[in-house]
Amino acid sequence: MEREEVKSILESLLFVADGPLTVQRFAEVVDGIDKETIHILLQELQSDLEAPSRGLQLVEVAGGYQLRTAKINGEWVKKLLGGRPARMGRATLETLAIIAYRQPITKAEIEAIRGVDVDGVITTLLERTLIRAVARKDVPGRPFLYGTTAEFLQLFNLKDLTDLPTLKDTDEISLPEISRDVIPLEQAEES
Amino acid sequence: MEREEVKSILESLLFVADGPLTVQRFAEVVDGIDKETIHILLQELQSDLEAPSRGLQLVEVAGGYQLRTAKINGEWVKKLLGGRPARMGRATLETLAIIAYRQPITKAEIEAIRGVDVDGVITTLLERTLIRAVARKDVPGRPFLYGTTAEFLQLFNLKDLTDLPTLKDTDEISLPEISRDVIPLEQAEES
Amino acid sequence: MSTRVELEIFEGPLDLLLHLIKKNELSISDIPIATITEQYLATLDLLQTLSLDVAGEFLVMAATLIHIKSRMLLPAGDDGGDDEEEGFDPRDELVRRLLEYQRYKEAAQDLDQREVLSRDVFTRSASPTEEAGPRGFREVSVFELLAALKRIIDRLPKDTFHEVTLEKITVREKMTHLLDILRAQNSILFESLFAAVSSRMEIIVTFLAMLELVKVRAIRIVQEEMAGPIKIEAAADMDGVAENVVLDQAEEDPYGA
């Protein structure tokens, strides 16, 4: 198959896909094309889209590639689509950040960090499938441990969890130490 | 606004639109741009997409413009989408609804309600394990009685069968009555 | 847990403390605990004066601050003996919590500044079956219709008084009625179709009439977005298709007297 043809097919597939497409998936669908070629063509597509007259971008997100509108056109798109979901509140964002960086984590552990009850927020995040229960913690009460989902990566345009910006180290205090300290607090709180 | 910018916006809008966009609609959203310019830019976009490396086409349909995949890539698109559970057709949904509300039910009884042969649909539903044969009816021929499965509940996000949007308050108008009334219409349709 | 109308501005006691520390340009690792406790309590007082409900967490923190303050006043080694470590500071635990909270607060801000999907950037929302239909509306499933129907029925008064007199309304009449409406205005909201309907039997009959017209493809039932309003609209050749069906029904009508 011609290079141009394959590129054209990749664009078609990206256009109709429901979510990010992995190079693996492209290779399965367009058989006979090696992953290396697919990779190169996707890079090409990516740079084609950087032209100022183009209104799309090809992002690497949640382990795959996805076409999205250019950020600069966000306001116009919003105008076309009309009323869009409101901004995510701070409580939601903070809880999500804690789960993203500390997963798997229990509700009690999140509450110890935020200093407030997070029941409602957890429910919202579960409903939006931004987090999911991944396991139960082997402590009394066997609480759920929560982790983030592929939808979370998609929402914030992240390739994978390592793509999360590094937590700013504000001080010499290391994370493990903090969590060790946090556990007794929870127990105290529960009793 | 720069010409390039507007072209970029048009591409973004076409990308996210649910249906064809009229020049009028573009003009409403991107205010300050005259329809003539929009028209010219859309023509430009249309010819850009004719390049062999592009996988989309801009079609004029129902009085508006819509981005679609290039016809030539149809097979690949189908292959990609075929890998996922396809959207359920109306016949399948209707049959499933009848089974859900009237289970256990025989094929003949479903056909009496729908007024059409449901062999193919039943096979599909069995293959997708949305229904299963739960028993045989004690009538001549001892036909299978079908009921829904756990997968069915999952697919429609139902806790259990009582969670179906039943017409609880309309018990006095039982379904058999409805089906009796519906049959003549369907027969009319077939003739 | 008390209702938390109050401190939408403060996400919790830690957030309020961070705010006070920042406002006073203090260092987290060396908080003048007396000053901060005073300001913290003053803020809570203010909120209570404004008749705002102060959540339990804020009060727990107030107690913690007062406790730390009291321990700061004790001479070293005089505080019960469970903190023998050299250089123990009663503020340590609080400092740790504040630093950790601040870290995630910043991480949350970073997340918020990314290209957020459906806020800054958008993916396609249309159904992938490109050649399927000229319109991007999604067709509504039977289940969604039944759910919508149930909502309408639920709104009806529970009495079934009128049922007897209204039973004579026929599917055919309803079909004709619906076609008339659509001829006049091309589309109608599902719910408004039932607005003037007062008995369950009439609702069912109306619903059946609608289903019949869908079946023969005289009308389409569409929805612009999930959970959005359901719309009934005329199909391209509504009249051509519907006429036969309605006429055929004229002969024998199961709902007729």
Side-chain angles (χ1 to χ4, degrees), chain B residues 55-71:
Chain B
L56 305 179
Q57 55 174 330
L58 184 59
V59 295
E60 283 181 65
V61 63
Y65 288 82
Q66 186 175 35
L67 276 180
R68 294 182 177 183
T69 55
K71 261 223 160 62

Side-chain angles (χ1 to χ4, degrees), chain A residues 15 57 68-69 77-78 87 90-91 94 102 113-115 117 155-157 168-169 175 178 181, chain C residues 9 11 14-15 57 93 96 100-101 103-104 110-112 114-117 119 121-122 124:
Chain A
F15 182 74
Q57 57 174 332
R68 295 183 171 186
T69 56
V77 172
K78 244 180 273 178
R87 290 176 72 89
R90 267 183 59 198
E94 282 180 16
R102 295 287 299 276
I113 296 174
R114 290 204 57 227
D117 175 273
L155 183 65
F156 291 104
N157 192 19
K168 283 180 199 94
D169 259 324
L175 280 175
I178 292 168
D181 293 341
Chain C
I9 15 158
E11 281 302 327
L14 293 170
D15 196 30
E57 292 104 12
E93 171 60 22
R96 261 197 289 271
E100 184 172 38
Y101 174 70
R103 191 178 242 190
Y104 292 109
D110 288 347
L111 278 181
D112 200 35
R114 298 185 64 84
E115 286 189 5
V116 177
L117 191 60
R119 185 191 72 186
V121 295
F122 300 82
R124 270 183 85 230

